Amino acid sequence: MSASAEPDRKIRVLIVDDSAAVRTTLSDIISSDPELEVMATAADPYIAVERIRAEVPDVIILDIELPRMDGITFLRKLMSQRPIPVVICSSHAGEGSDTLIEALEAGAVDVVQKPRVDTAQFLHDSRVRICEAARSAAHARLKGRVRPPAPKLAVEKKLTADAVIPQRSAARAASAAASMPTTAPVICIGASTGGTEALRDVLEALPATTPGIVIVQHMPERFTAAFARRLNGLCQMEVKEAEDGDVVEPGRVLIAPGNHHMSLQRSGSRYTVSIVDGPHVSRHRPSVDVLFRSAAYAAGKNALGIILTGMGDDGARGLLEMKQAGAATLAQDEESSIVFGMPKEAIALGAADKVVSLRRVATEITTYAARAPQKDTA
């Protein structure tokens, strides 16, 4: 019976990894979440196929380096024959990142780092990220697959952008928005599950003259560098992983590095980015809320905020703050979203001026850029 027919049952997870220790650790992590259960484990893709024949899982957590058949080959075969949401769980977030991008292009829903047990904090962060990825993947829209109802988010303490950027009072925020000088525009984008391919679709369609773009995409540490390199080879704009102090300028896209927050800063008529540590915000680091709040304060009416596909609510409040500061705002629609979580929350808050399909996002950006001032006047 499909997940959509039993909305109250747990999400069944199949773990595929050749390490018995990793299978045990992942099983413990998955079992700790009240909405998830380990359906089965497998040491290689051939054993995984037998498990799937016995019972179809809702989500597969898959390693890349496996005996008898590598994970990418297995993923491609799975997506061509029986699409099941797959989360790649790999320790190769550095040197293997290009392979992980290949996995996303082959149909994987998300990528997470393998959990390490060397520190309690890292294990806790891994548990939160892996469980959220599994819940999110279960809700993903895949070709040839019935989309189940949205899973409930686990009840857990969740910090807001206040933990990184202090919130201004309503009066101070209104005064700052009213007095914000006009400068060249800046475009801020937030995305999570399904965002890697969505961002590629958007950025490939933009000309090199597009205003500067800053992006938070939920990704593991170091993986964002490979993602940026991949996009840089496909897009007319320069795309790079952001470094502290990088200038935001026309023709350039800056992607927040994994495991670090990124904020927009204004100095005179120029924008730069600041890369900072800090606690997870909305269960993420980098957090879209942190970027969007900083854009509301630094750019105000000179910004365009866009929230794309993703699970949870990261970015919803930040997009509302951008709108309240005078920025134009967009949200991706349900039909074109892999997971309609983050856009849905932003829309529910009234944060989006427009709700558009993914194929319209690039057009909206170019239309906005054509209407916005292109020269600094501050």
Side-chain angles (χ1 to χ4, degrees), residues 34-54:
E35 297 175 35
L36 306 173
E37 66 178 356
V38 178
M39 186 198 81
T41 65
D44 65 52
Y46 288 89
I47 298 174
V49 169
E50 294 304 315
R51 301 284 190 265
I52 294 170
R53 285 174 179 165

Side-chain angles (χ1 to χ4, degrees), residues 12-34:
R12 299 166 300 187
V13 180
L14 169 63
I15 298 169
V16 186
D17 196 292
D18 61 334
S19 167
V22 171
R23 292 197 301 273
T24 298
T25 301
L26 286 174
S27 294
D28 290 344
I29 287 173
I30 293 299
S31 299
S32 72
D33 191 298

Side-chain angles (χ1 to χ4, degrees), residues 149-164:
K152 305 180 295 295
L153 288 176
V155 177
E156 186 172 343
K157 184 179 179 181
K158 183 168 63 173
L159 299 177
T160 68
D162 294 354
V164 178

Side-chain angles (χ1 to χ4, degrees), residues 49-117:
V49 169
E50 294 304 315
R51 301 284 190 265
I52 294 170
R53 285 174 179 165
E55 183 181 5
V56 180
D58 298 312
V59 178
I60 297 175
I61 294 180
L62 177 68
D63 190 14
I64 293 292
E65 295 184 346
L66 294 166
R68 299 207 285 173
M69 180 188 296
D70 67 90
I72 299 293
T73 300
F74 175 59
L75 176 63
R76 289 191 177 122
K77 290 179 179 293
L78 186 72
M79 290 300 142
S80 67
Q81 298 173 19
R82 187 167 199 169
I84 298 171
V86 172
V87 174
I88 298 297
C89 185
S90 174
S91 59
H92 297 286
E95 67 274 13
S97 291
D98 291 329
T99 302
L100 297 181
I101 290 174
E102 188 179 358
L104 288 167
E105 293 176 343
V109 172
D110 206 347
V111 174
V112 296
Q113 283 183 307
K114 279 189 180 180
R116 297 199 317 260
V117 295

